Structures are given as structure tokens and as C-alpha cells.
Amino acid sequence: MAAWNAFLEASHRVGRRVERQLRDQQGLSHPQYEILVRLAEAPDREIRMTELAELLVTSKSGITYQVGKLESAGLVRRRSCSGDERGVFAVLTDEGMDKLRSAAPGHVEIVRSSLIDLLTPDQLDALGDALGTVARRLDPRD
Amino acid sequence: MAAWNAFLEASHRVGRRVERQLRDQQGLSHPQYEILVRLAEAPDREIRMTELAELLVTSKSGITYQVGKLESAGLVRRRSCSGDERGVFAVLTDEGMDKLRSAAPGHVEIVRSSLIDLLTPDQLDALGDALGTVARRLDPRD
DNA sequence: CCTTACTTGTTTAAATTTGAACAAACTACT
DNA sequence: AGTAGTTTGTTCAAATTTAAACAAGTAAGG
């Protein structure tokens, strides 16, 4: 159970540092930042609400809430989905893209100093391998 | 950044499974369960509120809240600290110990099926090593 | 003593998260 | 077409989390 305790402690400590950095320096929650990242990577910079929830491993109502925040801030807009009247796309605005570009360096820096740079290349590879396996095997799409 | 993404996804997926299991089968939140575990391991089954917050890597007010819940449920009681009038010990009650004993098997089982059993022994060792390093290096007591 | 600085645990208000319930829209099959 | 079952996104209430403010207690040094 040593691995389990390390897993718990590391997630909390790293998560806490990442959240504080984004909050203090960019006024963004971590979920909000993740939404911006996913949208920026997506074709046409847009993703359906439900898919966003799956990508971030969170609830649909959580996405409704956070996308609402981002929309108020002008970083994201909603677009209804032609072909499926129920569907809603969250779309990254130009402002949102700018925000992401300004937030990314600080975020990368804190991720490095909280995780990446603490490990040897071998340790990091092993970590990615193990957690990649876990993430993949717990993916509901099986 | 593959390791980082795996880290994020794995934490969320595993955390979610563990929380749902405890909630559904025992009516406990994960923080509550962790409090019971720490108390059971501690000398005299008691720990100061602030130390509990550090152990769980959470805020002091979060501990006040969760210990309040556990106290209402009769699983924990508070004891004021002789020698430091400000101090408060959270103490595991016999009921709390019983609750922990009844909850532990199901918890261990979900941790196994969500993490341990998904990896080879080598992967698990490497995971414990890497995350142990991270947890230790992010410990504020440096 | 005394006063300055720190620590402890709680309270408070605000932000966030969740699951359940819901209405609307889609699908599949007859 | 009809209908039973599913999916979608939102709303709602309740639970939880956090930071900041606070009151009370402790520690250190003059």
C-alpha cells in the first residue's frame, strides 16, 4: 500500500500547487484551464459539452457551470449543433486563445517544478507508463 | 507531457471510483475515511486537528467540517488538549473503529481493482518510487 | 511584566461539485 | 407514423471546499 499512499499524497500536493498558481496568476480554476487547452487542440476549436465532461473526467453539470463562467469571461462561446438540436458546442474565442497563450508558460513551469523536474528521466518514463496503463484501463470505453 | 496527462486522468478516474465506493457502501466521504484510518494508526487513536490537516493535505477548515460530521455520526469525539488550551484532539471512538473495520475490506478491494491489480509488480514498484519521490519533495517540511 | 509575533481551531461567505430530476430531442424497431 | 428507450444539456438543492477574518492562547525577548 506504499504506492497507494504515495499516489494520494502526490495527487493532493501537486493538484494544490497547480490550482493555486492558476488562480493567483491567471484567475482561472484548473478545470477552466483544462477546458481552454482541450478546445485549443480540437478541430475548429470546439467540443460538445458531453465530450468535454468525458475528457476532463467530471460531471456534465460541472461542465455546464465552468463553461458558463468562461462564457461570462468571454473566453468561450456556445454554439448550437446543426443536426442535433439538443447538442451544444463550446467554442474557444480569440480572447480565450489569447488567455490560454498567456497562461500556458506559468502553468508549464509549475507542472515542471511540481512533478517533471523532481524525477529522473527513467522515473518519469516509468511514471507515464504506469499511470498511462491505469488511465487506459479505467476508461469506460472498453 | 504524456506523464502529466496520464497523471491527471488517472487521479481523476481512480479518485472517482474510490469516492463512489465509499459513499455508496459506507456513507463515508473519502476524507472521512482517511481521517478514520489515520486515527486508528495513531498512538491513543488521537491526532491534533492541525496535524490531521497536514496529513490529509487539506485545509484546517476542511478538517473542522469533516470531523464535525464524524462527531455527529459518533465515530469520532473531540478532546481538548491539556497543556495547550487552544489545542483539540480528534479521538476515534469504538464505534468509529468498528465502522473502519467494516469499511476497510471494500475500500482495499476498490483500490486493488482501480490501481494495484492493473499493473505488473515492476510497474507498481516504479510508480511507488516515482510518486514517493514527488510526495517527499513537495512536503513543506524541508 | 509586556508587547509583539505566531499558532490554533472555528466561523463565515463565496465558489465549486455532485447527483437527481427534468424537458427536449434523437434512435430503433415495429 | 408510433412508441419505448436513450441521450443531451440544464436546473436545482445539498454537500463540500477554500480563503480570510477572527478570538483565544502561547512563545520570545526585552
Side-chain angles (χ1 to χ4, degrees):
Chain A
M1 284 267 142
W4 172 242
N5 285 315
F7 181 81
L8 278 185
E9 184 176 348
S11 330
H12 284 133
R13 289 203 194 281
V14 174
R16 208 157 249 269
R17 287 172 60 99
V18 168
E19 264 152 35
R20 189 170 22 181
Q21 188 275 329
L22 281 170
R23 182 77 60 198
D24 291 352
Q25 296 186 10
Q26 298 291 336
L28 289 174
S29 68
H30 190 207
Q32 284 166 10
Y33 179 81
E34 278 298 312
I35 290 172
L36 298 184
V37 170
R38 299 297 187 153
L39 292 178
E41 291 168 345
D44 297 326
R45 294 184 181 167
E46 60 183 17
I47 303 181
R48 288 281 292 268
M49 298 296 276
T50 293
E51 192 187 346
L52 223 30
E54 286 163 4
L55 288 171
L56 300 212
V57 191
T58 189
S59 64
K60 284 182 302 174
S61 39
I63 293 297
T64 296
Y65 178 79
Q66 291 295 358
V67 167
K69 289 271 152 184
L70 290 170
E71 197 171 27
S72 305
L75 307 180
V76 160
R77 66 184 174 79
R78 282 178 218 250
R79 176 173 89 67
S80 62
C81 171
S82 57
D84 187 343
E85 212 55 45
R86 302 163 302 176
V88 174
F89 279 103
V91 189
L92 189 63
T93 63
D94 291 338
E95 274 186 29
M97 195 63 199
D98 290 346
K99 181 70 172 173
L100 178 57
R101 277 197 256 261
S102 94
H107 175 72
V108 170
E109 155 65 18
I110 196 77
V111 171
R112 282 195 178 287
S113 70
S114 303
L115 182 71
I116 313 288
D117 292 347
L118 304 182
L119 302 173
T120 67
D122 281 352
Q123 281 180 311
L124 191 59
D125 281 350
L127 182 69
D129 169 61
L131 291 181
T133 301
V134 172
R136 221 169 308 116
R137 298 252 242 135
L138 292 182
D139 193 322
R141 299 163 286 198
D142 275 352
Chain B
M1 287 265 143
W4 171 242
N5 285 314
F7 181 81
L8 277 185
E9 184 176 349
S11 332
H12 284 133
R13 289 203 194 281
V14 174
R16 209 158 248 269
R17 287 171 60 100
V18 168
E19 264 153 35
R20 189 172 24 188
Q21 187 276 330
L22 282 169
R23 181 77 59 197
D24 291 352
Q25 296 186 8
Q26 299 289 339
L28 289 174
S29 68
H30 190 208
Q32 284 166 9
Y33 179 82
E34 278 298 310
I35 290 172
L36 298 183
V37 170
R38 299 297 187 153
L39 292 178
E41 292 169 344
D44 297 326
R45 292 182 182 168
E46 60 182 17
I47 303 181
R48 289 281 293 269
M49 299 296 276
T50 295
E51 191 185 347
L52 222 30
E54 286 163 5
L55 288 170
L56 299 213
V57 192
T58 187
S59 63
K60 285 182 302 175
S61 40
I63 293 297
T64 295
Y65 179 80
Q66 292 295 358
V67 167
K69 288 272 153 186
L70 289 170
E71 198 172 26
S72 305
L75 307 180
V76 161
R77 65 182 174 80
R78 281 178 220 247
R79 177 173 90 66
S80 63
C81 171
S82 59
D84 186 343
E85 212 54 45
R86 302 163 301 176
V88 174
F89 279 102
V91 188
L92 189 63
T93 64
D94 291 338
E95 276 188 27
M97 195 64 200
D98 290 346
K99 182 68 172 174
L100 179 56
R101 276 197 257 262
S102 95
H107 175 71
V108 170
E109 156 65 17
I110 197 78
V111 171
R112 282 196 179 287
S113 71
S114 303
L115 181 71
I116 312 288
D117 292 346
L118 303 182
L119 301 174
T120 68
D122 281 352
Q123 280 179 312
L124 191 58
D125 281 349
L127 183 68
D129 169 61
L131 291 182
T133 301
V134 172
R136 221 167 312 114
R137 299 254 242 132
L138 292 183
D139 193 322
R141 299 164 285 195
D142 277 352

